[in-house]
Amino acid sequence: MIIRDVTLGDVDQISAFLKELTALGKRTRPDDTAFVRDYYVQGPDNICCTVADDDGEVLGFQSLLNAKVGNQWGVARGGGIIGTHIRPSAARRGVGRALFETTHSAARAAGLPSIDATISATNPEGLGYYEAMGFQTYRTPEGAVCKRFDVRG
């Protein structure tokens, strides 16, 4: 498995496994190729988006966005917003941990003070993952848990 920057060539694979996550009830956001391209690959607020590639198969990806004023997640301006998505067949194989090493380095290089994750309150795998990476719960809006990671800490 290698960790590399996302490319437009990854869009179809990413969309396909996001659809799997949607079907399993683990995702509620769009999962079509246009959304993947416009939000994750070419998004205007992207700091980085990396994929875990196993001989051409994308096992998962992680995006890091710069929080702008009025973002949909309610994250303070200047922080980072993280999203982690792992192909169901690649769960529990260290993909998320490997992706976070790269994302954490990118956050430090960008001078971010913190990274925020908003996870569905009904997603125990996601909650456990972010807890294992060192994120701490700081607010709980209805149906979600918001966790923050101190980049400088």
Side-chain angles (χ1 to χ4, degrees):
M1 173 176 66
I2 62 166
I3 305 301
R4 62 171 174 77
D5 290 338
V6 70
T7 69
L8 285 172
D10 299 319
V11 168
D12 289 339
Q13 278 197 67
I14 290 171
S15 176
F17 78 75
L18 288 179
K19 289 179 187 306
E20 288 180 55
L21 293 171
T22 300
L24 292 169
K26 296 179 182 263
R27 181 175 176 85
T28 58
R29 303 207 23 153
D31 53 22
D32 59 276
T33 57
F35 179 81
V36 170
R37 181 193 65 235
D38 296 343
Y39 189 78
Y40 295 118
V41 181
Q42 297 177 328
D45 300 327
N46 286 2
I47 294 171
C48 75
C49 185
T50 54
V51 299
D53 182 320
D54 185 18
D55 200 26
E57 180 182 30
V58 176
L59 302 178
F61 75 98
Q62 193 164 69
S63 65
L64 180 63
L65 308 174
N66 188 17
K68 302 291 185 178
V69 172
N71 65 77
Q72 67 188 27
W73 308 111
V75 176
R77 179 179 172 264
I81 301 169
I82 193 171
T84 306
H85 310 280
I86 307 299
R87 182 183 296 272
S89 62
R92 311 289 305 161
R93 291 178 36 193
V95 174
R97 186 170 297 281
L99 288 166
F100 189 63
E101 289 178 21
T102 299
T103 301
H104 186 200
S105 293
R108 280 194 310 267
L112 297 180
S114 61
I115 304 170
D116 286 60
T118 300
I119 308 107
S120 170
T122 61
N123 181 352
E125 298 90 354
L127 294 167
Y129 165 73
Y130 284 109
E131 190 77 23
M133 295 302 102
F135 284 70
Q136 300 294 315
T137 300
Y138 74 98
R139 64 184 171 104
T140 53
E142 186 173 336
V145 177
C146 298
K147 292 183 172 286
R148 181 175 291 140
F149 180 86
D150 182 359
V151 173
R152 297 170 284 197

